[in-house]
Amino acid sequence: DGKPMNYRQYVLSQDKYSALLPYPEDEGLAIKISSTLKRQAGTQSDDRYFKCSRSVPLNHGIEFKALFYPVTETNNVEVKFRVENNGQQARAIEGGGDHENFVKAVRRESGEFFAKSWEGSSYLGLHYMFVSVYEDGKLTLPEQKYSVFIG
């Protein structure tokens, strides 16, 4: 029809972008992080989300799950879920909406521990969930980054 297209081009750093994506090597990490998309907390969903694999709509949320073996023999195990928000909407509010919470981990019959945390999709942009493990109040498994794109 002869009309010019209205589009934008972006230059991506291959190294930076690749670091956000899921890889088979992730299976060898100490904390196995997985996530499920849900419309609201506490509901059942089979809609698995792999880190930065697709855009999550604003009216959804994500349940993050951490599965790991503890370093010590204690049963006093907590998982820290720390959110780092990016993008214009997050920058517009004090603290950028960044926050963290500790969740008591539960031992499974296999000896692995499990914890989960729900997060609503509140701001457009690229965001991170950092997951780490504390045993008896001491950091034993350092943070691992899980990238999420809300759009």
Side-chain angles (χ1 to χ4, degrees), residues 15-142:
D15 292 337
K16 289 181 180 178
Y17 178 69
S18 292
L20 302 174
L21 300 174
Y23 284 99
E25 294 83 14
D26 291 349
E27 288 300 313
L29 297 174
I31 307 169
K32 308 289 187 275
I33 306 170
S34 62
S35 63
T36 308
L37 298 184
K38 299 180 176 189
R39 287 199 177 270
Q40 59 188 11
T43 59
Q44 180 66 32
S45 172
D46 294 323
D47 191 1
R48 292 202 53 206
Y49 180 79
F50 298 94
K51 66 180 182 177
C52 220
S53 60
R54 58 187 159 134
S55 179
V56 178
L58 272 176
N59 62 346
H60 280 67
I62 305 173
E63 184 174 78
F64 294 92
K65 301 165 191 144
L67 190 63
F68 57 93
Y69 286 100
V71 174
T72 68
E73 297 297 318
T74 186
N75 282 318
N76 182 20
V77 181
E78 291 183 305
V79 175
K80 181 168 107 174
F81 292 92
R82 183 174 70 84
V83 175
E84 183 180 290
N85 291 303
N86 296 285
Q88 288 182 328
Q89 291 177 323
R91 282 193 295 271
I93 65 166
E94 188 175 332
D98 296 351
H99 60 278
E100 64 187 42
N101 66 311
F102 283 84
V103 176
K104 177 111 175 103
V106 176
R107 183 186 297 268
R108 292 186 163 178
E109 287 183 22
S110 65
E112 288 179 297
F113 276 74
F114 171 81
K116 64 183 179 178
S117 182
W118 161 263
E119 290 293 329
S121 55
S122 302
Y123 312 108
L124 296 173
L126 177 63
H127 311 293
Y128 304 108
M129 173 62 82
F130 293 92
V131 180
S132 54
V133 175
Y134 287 74
E135 299 174 35
D136 289 327
K138 294 186 175 129
L139 178 67
T140 56
L141 296 175

Side-chain angles (χ1 to χ4, degrees), residues 1-10:
D1 67 4
K3 293 182 183 176
M5 289 185 78
N6 184 12
Y7 69 93
R8 293 182 184 181
Q9 281 185 311
Y10 297 92

